[in-house]
Amino acid sequence: ARLYSETLLRADELATLNTLAAIVNASLNLDELLEIIVYSLYQAVGCDCSAIFIMDNDRGVLKLAKARGLSQEYMLQSQNLDPVADSRAQVVLDRYPLIVSDIREDPNLADVVPLAEKEGFVALADWPLRGREHVLGALTVYYNQPHTFDESEIELLRTFANQVTLALENARLYERTDLALARRVDQLAAIEEIGRELTATLDLGRVF
């Protein structure tokens, strides 16, 4: 009976992951994708709040890009997190997940406790989004009560983070390709206009 229950649970988890993969990979629009990610994470894990942080490699800071259930003030305070100085951004340096059942009992997160108490969360899990070349950011889930993360939740977060990383890389590639194509279209349009003007006049000065 126990094995049967575990098999059913595993089947439900796989079905959830398949659904999440289909949803996340359905959009190449970056802003839309970020919105889908935080909503899907919120639904799948059953957390009280969810967020996705994106690494700004030019400035070397981690920025909260999209969130669900978090206050506007918290989002504003999470726009320039230094991975070296701020424990909330440490996950992008370590490249390993940070899983905390109760932040009040973790001395390494003492700097987060006042902000957490104000926001109302107690437990959290940060999962790095490890891309091909560097860490793209992190997924974070928050709980308003102490929460023990079981193996199935950890596996779901790991798999979902991998799917999100791939989706983000695809969206960024599409965005860069789209911009490059737009620039090329502008260039061709300019060349066409120049060609029309050159063939429309016999005045040498105008041609020059």
Side-chain angles (χ1 to χ4, degrees):
R2 185 175 66 252
L3 288 173
Y4 180 68
S5 297
E6 291 174 355
T7 301
L8 288 179
L9 180 61
R10 186 60 177 162
D12 286 342
E13 290 169 357
L14 290 173
T16 300
L17 286 171
N18 287 333
T19 302
L20 291 176
I23 292 171
V24 167
N25 288 291
S27 176
L28 288 172
N29 179 282
L30 188 58
D31 191 64
E32 183 180 280
L33 176 61
L34 295 174
E35 189 68 50
I36 291 171
I37 288 168
V38 293
Y39 179 76
S40 299
L41 189 60
Y42 176 84
Q43 292 286 96
V45 184
C47 53
D48 294 299
C49 310
S50 60
I52 180 167
F53 293 81
I54 297 297
M55 190 66 191
D56 184 340
N57 292 301
D58 293 334
R59 298 174 56 219
V61 296
L62 193 66
K63 303 176 66 174
L64 200 165
K66 216 66 146 176
R68 186 176 181 85
L70 295 170
S71 69
Q72 192 66 29
E73 182 182 357
Y74 184 85
M75 294 187 68
L76 289 173
Q77 292 176 344
S78 306
Q79 292 303 305
N80 297 286
L81 303 180
D82 184 351
V84 176
D86 198 313
S87 59
R88 287 190 293 158
Q90 187 68 35
V91 68
V92 300
L93 286 183
D94 294 343
R95 301 175 70 92
Y96 286 99
L98 174 66
I99 299 172
V100 184
S101 299
D102 191 332
I103 62 171
R104 297 168 297 186
E105 298 177 0
D106 191 333
N108 295 322
L109 294 176
D111 61 325
V112 181
V113 172
L115 189 59
E117 288 178 344
K118 189 175 182 180
E119 196 66 22
F121 64 82
V122 172
L124 62 84
D126 279 339
W127 210 280
L129 302 173
R130 295 192 289 260
R132 295 183 184 93
E133 298 177 359
H134 49 75
V135 176
L136 304 181
L139 289 178
T140 306
V141 292
Y142 305 87
Y143 293 85
N144 295 339
Q145 299 295 329
H147 182 83
T148 301
F149 293 84
D150 59 35
E151 290 184 10
S152 64
E153 287 177 314
I154 292 172
E155 182 60 30
L156 190 148
L157 283 169
R158 178 186 294 111
T159 306
F160 188 55
N162 290 338
Q163 294 170 348
V164 167
T165 300
L166 182 60
L168 283 176
E169 288 185 328
N170 287 341
R172 285 181 168 181
L173 178 61
Y174 175 79
E175 192 175 60
R176 288 197 298 269
T177 303
D178 195 44
L179 287 172
L181 286 173
R183 284 196 298 269
R184 186 62 177 154
V185 167
D186 289 342
Q187 290 169 349
L188 292 173
I191 291 171
E192 182 184 9
E193 178 64 25
I194 292 168
R196 279 201 302 269
E197 289 200 32
L198 287 174
T199 56
T201 183
L202 295 175
D203 182 270
L204 193 56
R206 176 62 179 159
V207 169
F208 288 154

